[in-house]
Amino acid sequence: MKGENPMRVLPVSLGRSFNGLWFGTGAANLGDGMALFVLPLLAIAVDASAGGVAAVTAALTLAWPLFGLHAGWIVDRVDRRTLLSAVNAARGLVLGGVTAAFLADVLSLPLILVAAVLLGVAETLVDTALTSTIPLVVDPVGRSRANARIEATINVANQLAGPPLAGLLAGATLALATGASAALYVLAVGGVLVMTVRRPAAASADPPAAGRRRGELVAGFRFLWRQRVVRTLTLFTAAMNVVWAVAVSLLVVYAVDPGPLGLTAAQYGLLLTGMAVGGLIASVLVEPLRRWIGTTRLMIADAVGTVLFVAPVALDAGIWVVAAGAVVAGAGSSIWRILAGTIRQNLSPPELLGRLYSASRMISWGVIPASAALGGIVAELWGLRTAFVAATVLAVLVLAAFVPFALRTDLEAAVRGPADDEAPVVA
């Protein structure tokens, strides 16, 4: 943008309501980071196979294709503060139950899978409410900064602090990690209650007729499919998530002893911390970087990062190469989420924010359960490296397809807004 200092950071306060949402997001995501780290370790502790460990990842994301549209409809019709408070409290109860089952020595893979499904359903509601609440408490000019702050917080709590903290606590007992995660979900409720959020004027609390309800459920999907920029970014996100699903579900098997890298649980936590460091740095610098090198180049960087996430394992590289790839991938992933999220918010009517987000997430995350399960099957039949080789080939193909789209699309205009403009595509 002409006349702007590309490296200028704007630390402007975004208001009390956003700060409450920010705090609640931080506490809940620290709980998320610990829970997501420890659930696969619990599966290993109950002697699950590589396929069983991958099934935990699949179960965590199963709710998006099955419940995603309903989550968006619910978020657009109920008070966001009440919803976020209730769901975070429910997540605390689920992790408390897992902790009790482990201490009583009755925990099994089926129980872990049930807990993962419930946490996945909760995530559809919380994530949809979070992204659709930001535009209700932050003006358009501040949304990119708000998204960057939320993304930085998620990286610090969910990935930077959560895994090593969970690994440290798990060194004493896995129950300590799950119990701390449960307590953090409850703490998040306090931050959420600070918010004052007005519902969009178009929302209605009256129960709709059956036909009207079906129309409302798919309204976000219809808008997404008509909005070519959001639609195309959603499809590319889905393709990259196939790669990420294989990597995330199987990396723990490759990295943690008796896997090839032979890491301890604490060392694996540090590996994930390296990925979070990349994401944190990127989320802090995304705004000055966007002004300096542009939205298009930044989003292409994420597609490159996806390749570098899986290629080192496919090539049987050492721990330092694997860690370097994870750092770059973490940086690219943060950039993508911030910029794609801002584009979606700017191109969506306020009354459709929840449903548009859930429709987008249903597509982009709907591929994860099947992809994680397929990756587990490939690993069982032909070995871990074969699964990562296949993921690397797909990542390269996605990169080759995304670059031409990004170069002919004015993604910068979509990030700047305004909300009711569709970013032009130049042939």
Side-chain angles (χ1 to χ4, degrees):
M1 293 173 64
K2 226 179 231 187
E4 282 189 315
N5 178 355
M7 299 307 292
R8 183 165 58 99
V9 179
L10 302 172
V12 179
S13 173
L14 295 173
R16 186 173 72 96
S17 290
F18 174 78
N19 289 338
L21 181 65
W22 194 8
F23 175 84
T25 298
N29 273 275
L30 183 56
D32 277 344
M34 296 177 68
L36 295 178
F37 178 85
V38 79
L39 284 176
L41 294 179
L42 287 171
I44 293 173
V46 298
D47 298 323
S49 65
V53 175
V56 174
T57 298
L60 282 165
T61 54
L62 188 62
W64 279 110
L66 298 181
F67 186 67
L69 288 179
H70 293 81
W73 180 81
I74 291 170
V75 166
D76 280 340
R77 295 184 62 84
V78 304
D79 179 72
R80 309 284 167 85
R81 189 175 69 165
T82 301
L83 178 66
L84 287 168
S85 299
V87 175
N88 277 318
R91 292 200 286 187
L93 288 175
V94 170
L95 265 297
V98 169
T99 303
F102 181 83
L103 291 174
D105 200 23
V106 296
L107 188 65
S108 63
L109 182 59
L111 286 176
I112 296 171
L113 292 174
V114 170
V117 169
L118 293 175
L119 291 173
V121 171
E123 183 184 43
T124 65
L125 293 166
V126 169
D127 284 6
T128 303
L130 172 62
T131 193
S132 59
T133 299
I134 290 173
L136 301 182
V137 297
V138 179
D139 291 333
V141 70
R143 285 177 192 167
S144 186
R145 292 202 311 279
N147 286 319
R149 291 182 188 184
I150 290 292
E151 182 65 23
T153 301
I154 290 172
N155 273 297
V156 170
N158 199 317
Q159 299 175 25
L160 185 61
L165 179 58
L168 180 65
L169 297 177
T173 172
L174 291 170
L176 192 57
T178 56
S181 177
L184 284 163
Y185 286 131
V186 176
L187 179 63
V189 175
V192 171
L193 292 176
V194 172
M195 293 193 307
T196 301
V197 180
R198 291 183 303 171
R199 285 154 50 91
S204 171
D206 298 329
R212 180 182 159 202
R213 179 178 177 181
R214 283 192 296 271
E216 290 184 352
L217 283 173
V218 300
F221 184 84
R222 288 173 178 161
F223 182 88
L224 180 151
W225 208 250
R226 290 196 303 266
Q227 220 304 325
R228 59 183 179 270
V229 175
V230 177
R231 178 187 68 232
T232 306
L233 289 177
T234 298
L235 293 176
F236 274 116
T237 303
M240 286 190 282
N241 276 344
V242 174
V243 178
W244 277 77
V246 174
V248 171
S249 63
L250 294 176
L251 184 61
V252 62
V253 181
Y254 183 84
V256 176
D257 187 64
L261 293 183
L263 303 181
T264 65
Q267 289 170 333
Y268 178 61
L270 291 176
L271 174 62
L272 297 185
T273 298
M275 181 184 295
V277 168
L280 175 61
I281 293 172
S283 61
V284 170
L285 296 178
V286 65
E287 272 297 283
L289 285 174
R290 181 182 67 80
R291 298 188 189 95
W292 185 28
I293 65 174
T295 299
T296 297
R297 291 186 182 90
L298 284 177
M299 298 193 80
I300 290 174
D302 173 58
V304 174
T306 298
V307 175
L308 296 179
F309 190 24
V310 289
V313 178
L315 297 173
D316 200 24
I319 177 59
W320 293 111
V321 178
V322 172
V327 171
V328 175
S333 180
S334 284
I335 289 168
W336 183 279
R337 287 195 298 267
I338 293 168
L339 296 178
T342 302
I343 290 170
R344 185 174 53 245
Q345 290 167 356
N346 285 342
L347 299 180
S348 172
E351 68 274 11
L352 282 179
L353 280 168
R355 281 166 287 175
L356 178 61
Y357 176 81
S358 63
S360 174
R361 204 71 179 268
M362 187 186 74
I363 295 171
S364 60
W365 278 51
V367 302
I368 294 178
S371 301
L374 181 60
I377 292 171
V378 172
E380 292 273 7
L381 296 178
W382 296 291
L384 280 171
R385 282 192 61 201
T386 301
F388 277 90
V389 167
T392 302
V393 171
L394 177 58
V396 171
L397 292 175
V398 172
L399 173 62
F402 179 70
V403 170
F405 163 78
L407 292 177
R408 69 174 183 265
T409 305
D410 192 353
L411 297 174
E412 191 68 43
V415 168
R416 291 196 305 265
D420 60 347
D421 284 350
E422 184 178 40
V425 175
V426 180

